[in-house]
Amino acid sequence: MKYQISQTAYVKLALHALKHRSAAVNGILVGRVSGGGGGGGAEEDSASTVSIVDCVPLFHGQLGLLPMLELALTQIEEYFSSHQEGLSIVGCYHANERFDDYDLSGIPRKIGDHIARYFSSACVLLLDNRLLESLAKAGKKPAFSQLFTRDSSRGWRSAPGSSDLVLAESTANEILYDYILEGREQSVTDFDDHLDDISKDWLNPGLFD
Amino acid sequence: MGEGITEVDRLEALVDEGVGDVARYLALIRKLKLRRSSKVAKHGMELLRNSSARAKLGADVWTVYEQVAIAALDCQCLTAAKECIGALLKKFPDSTRVGRLEGMWFEARGSWQQAEKVYASILEERPTDARILKRKIAMAKAQGNLMGAVDEMNKYLELFMADHECWKELADVYLSLQMYKQAAFCYEELILVQPANALFHLGYAEILYTIGGLENLKTAKKYYASAIELSGGKNMRALYGVCLCAAGINQAKGRNIKDEKENSTVHTLAADVIKREYRLKAPKKASLAACILEA
């Protein structure tokens, strides 16, 4: 199974992490499966690609509580299945609180497990700050995430090479770099922000204008 | 708190353009205990390097040096931080408060052992210095030693059992380790210390819901309800929480009919408030909110 991430999803999740530098953040990945046998049940079909089309930033700071997570997952699934054809939840992303922490901890694993119950090829993206620092040189590869997928024993393992996750648009890193210089991360709204003020939209409609 | 944030944002925009009152901005950041380190470091250093601006601060200049030093450390601007700490050392050569900043400078570099030495020597004279004990907790956390941080916090709380910031920090660390029962205990202490704080009732409810089970859902619903009351009916998480609990309780086994009736009143009231708020402030999302509430 190959994984591809759109510029929209990639830049949005990076900006979310950059907005909250001293906290852990997470979010949901939304997309579809294409090629190969098709359908969400395709497991080890190497001809298929999971396309991560968009993402929804969820929380910053406290990520381990259930009620608002359940609420968010329901609303996100409802929105994307009724407004955007063929899109559903395909995984989640997570950024640890500390700069040098590269472990996939219990919380993203649990969220990943939950998503995997509905979509067997679910993935978890773990942001890696070392790679973010070398953003300017990254070029075509996604700069700063480690891809985790489920192995046969139902655990999460890191995908072997960087070829398993590709950027759909080669301009993604340049765009992200420009946005960082502008300070655009301040405009990202996550589900936490929405709950604090419901007039803020977790779909982030104006973010890329 | 909301109005304070708006005022800070307004001042920040002016200061960014070069026309704002930096001293007032920094004072408001201190008062609200916000963490906006890159702005504070940038504008603070500019102010402190300007001798007439510095003179206008009067006695506040030392507090500003401390504030800017910490902000600079947060941004890894170690030279700027050293400048501020140097000025403070000259004025207060034997101060343990400045000693703490020296230790924090070592921490920012990752020189943990040197930071330990600084703190150990202060603790020799003052074994219950709360600020230094907190640095030891922070260092454990920064090095990823979460169980060590938990130990240090428990030791600290034996000395300072009404320190709600530490109970909250301990709860947060327990939650990140998925130790929900221990986190719940911390929130029980928080509610004892500040029984009218809606956020503590809310946090306790969230943890109980996360642990799950019929009894916990029932208790969570009570705490969500008290959070609603204490926050003047405005807290969206608490309003949603009551509805989520009601749905969970209805699905669970072993409930009796009397409970079911009580259930529907709180749940329906909260659902009505949510629907009304969405219609007013987020009409595009109103149908999404409603689909949860119908369940």
Side-chain angles (χ1 to χ4, degrees):
Chain A
M1 184 65 75
K2 294 213 168 345
Y3 293 82
Q4 187 187 70
I5 184 165
S6 74
Q7 183 167 292
T8 302
Y10 179 72
V11 172
K12 204 186 291 187
L13 63 87
L15 292 178
H16 184 216
L18 288 167
K19 184 176 181 185
H20 305 283
R21 283 169 204 253
S22 55
V25 302
N26 66 357
I28 296 298
L29 303 171
V30 171
R32 60 168 75 89
V33 184
S34 51
E43 274 221 33
E44 295 304 311
D45 186 348
S46 57
S48 305
T49 303
V50 172
S51 294
I52 301 166
V53 170
D54 202 349
C55 71
V56 176
L58 280 183
F59 308 119
H60 54 272
Q62 190 45 257
L63 312 181
L65 295 167
L66 211 48
M68 296 301 106
L69 174 64
E70 286 181 0
L71 183 71
L73 286 171
T74 315
Q75 293 195 351
I76 292 169
E77 186 66 47
E78 174 66 29
Y79 176 81
F80 283 96
S81 60
S82 58
H83 286 78
Q84 309 254 6
E85 296 228 353
L87 284 189
S88 58
I89 297 177
V90 297
C92 62
Y93 68 85
H94 182 95
N96 283 323
E97 185 181 14
R98 282 177 302 109
F99 183 82
D100 53 3
D101 183 0
Y102 312 115
D103 279 338
L104 190 68
S105 68
I107 291 169
R109 282 174 195 269
K110 274 220 133 169
I111 299 176
D113 285 342
H114 179 86
I115 295 172
R117 260 182 280 178
Y118 299 92
F119 179 63
S120 51
S121 303
C123 64
V124 177
L125 289 187
L126 180 67
L127 272 65
D128 179 338
N129 294 297
R130 295 166 295 192
L131 299 175
L132 184 56
E133 275 195 305
S134 61
L135 180 63
K137 309 171 208 149
K140 294 202 171 143
K141 295 191 310 221
F144 53 78
S145 46
Q146 243 182 303
L147 175 75
F148 285 83
T149 50
R150 298 250 290 192
D151 66 18
S152 47
S153 63
R154 275 44 188 334
W156 291 93
R157 62 159 168 73
S158 181
S162 55
S163 59
D164 276 22
L165 174 66
V166 295
L167 288 171
E169 291 102 330
S170 56
T171 48
N173 279 320
E174 292 160 37
I175 301 283
L176 176 58
Y177 192 68
D178 285 341
Y179 281 6
I180 293 173
L181 289 178
E182 265 181 45
R184 200 175 281 218
E185 66 269 15
Q186 294 311 317
S187 313
V188 172
T189 294
D190 62 16
F191 210 80
D192 262 334
D193 298 328
H194 172 76
L195 289 169
D196 290 338
D197 174 358
I198 57 171
S199 65
K200 295 194 172 146
D201 192 347
W202 45 263
L203 286 167
N204 289 283
L207 187 60
F208 297 105
D209 292 343
Chain B
M1 177 70 162
E3 313 84 55
I5 301 279
T6 326
E7 176 65 11
V8 160
D9 288 337
R10 194 187 65 85
L11 273 175
E12 192 174 272
L14 290 172
V15 153
D16 280 339
E17 281 169 44
V19 297
D21 183 344
V22 178
R24 237 184 94 212
Y25 170 68
L26 294 177
L28 198 49
I29 296 264
R30 284 198 303 276
K31 182 168 160 217
L32 297 172
K33 296 195 179 170
L34 298 177
R35 188 174 180 176
R36 297 198 183 184
S37 301
S38 52
K39 303 271 177 177
V40 168
K42 175 169 167 222
H43 298 299
M45 284 311 293
E46 232 179 82
L47 179 110
L48 289 169
R49 283 172 176 160
N50 176 323
S51 49
S52 59
R54 220 169 49 224
K56 280 199 206 136
L57 290 173
D60 276 349
V61 68
W62 309 113
T63 319
V64 174
Y65 266 122
E66 184 184 40
Q67 178 185 17
V68 176
I70 294 175
L73 289 175
D74 211 11
C75 300
Q76 280 287 301
C77 301
L78 298 179
T79 328
K82 201 61 154 176
E83 226 181 278
C84 299
I85 297 174
L88 285 165
L89 269 176
K90 256 175 89 176
K91 175 77 179 173
F92 307 103
D94 295 311
S95 157
T96 54
R97 189 162 160 178
V98 183
R100 177 182 84 118
L101 291 177
E102 287 187 291
M104 285 172 79
W105 190 87
F106 284 122
E107 283 186 59
R109 282 177 42 144
S111 306
W112 309 113
Q113 286 181 329
Q114 285 175 284
E116 283 263 17
K117 268 198 221 145
V118 171
Y119 298 143
S121 71
I122 300 177
L123 285 173
E124 245 183 67
E125 288 168 55
R126 307 164 70 152
T128 59
D129 186 321
R131 282 198 168 120
I132 303 295
L133 292 174
K134 284 184 173 174
R135 286 325 308 163
K136 294 193 69 173
I137 296 167
M139 279 208 296
K141 215 183 158 200
Q143 292 174 78
N145 181 3
L146 293 181
M147 286 316 291
V150 164
D151 273 338
E152 295 286 341
M153 281 191 269
N154 277 314
K155 277 196 278 190
Y156 175 89
L157 286 165
E158 274 171 41
L159 292 169
F160 301 99
M161 56 198 77
D163 186 330
H164 69 269
E165 276 180 6
C166 191
W167 280 113
K168 172 86 173 43
E169 181 65 35
L170 182 56
D172 282 345
V173 173
Y174 277 137
L175 286 173
S176 69
L177 294 168
Q178 298 180 281
M179 294 166 72
Y180 297 110
K181 297 211 163 89
Q182 290 86 339
F185 176 76
C186 293
Y187 267 88
E188 285 163 15
E189 293 294 320
L190 282 169
I191 293 174
L192 273 176
V193 170
Q194 292 190 0
N197 188 324
L199 294 178
F200 295 159
H201 290 245
L202 179 65
Y204 190 52
E206 306 235 273
I207 297 171
L208 292 177
Y209 184 100
T210 306
I211 299 175
L214 182 59
E215 287 312 305
N216 283 327
L217 284 179
K218 286 184 182 172
T219 316
K221 192 160 81 72
K222 293 202 180 106
Y223 279 90
Y224 272 127
S226 54
I228 295 175
E229 214 184 329
L230 289 167
S231 61
K234 297 208 172 114
N235 191 302
M236 190 52 67
R237 294 160 204 274
L239 290 165
Y240 268 127
V242 153
C243 300
L244 288 170
C245 284
I249 290 168
N250 281 334
Q251 282 172 31
K253 301 183 186 136
R255 68 192 189 280
N256 59 47
I257 311 288
K258 176 166 171 281
D259 278 348
E260 217 173 310
K261 278 224 180 93
E262 268 181 60
N263 226 331
S264 12
T265 329
V266 184
H267 160 215
T268 333
L269 281 174
D272 284 342
V273 175
I274 295 176
K275 286 183 201 162
R276 193 184 64 216
E277 288 290 298
Y278 270 82
R279 268 201 307 271
L280 278 174
K281 297 180 188 162
K284 289 193 203 158
K285 295 272 183 318
S287 59
L288 285 180
C291 81
I292 316 295
L293 303 172
E294 248 83 271

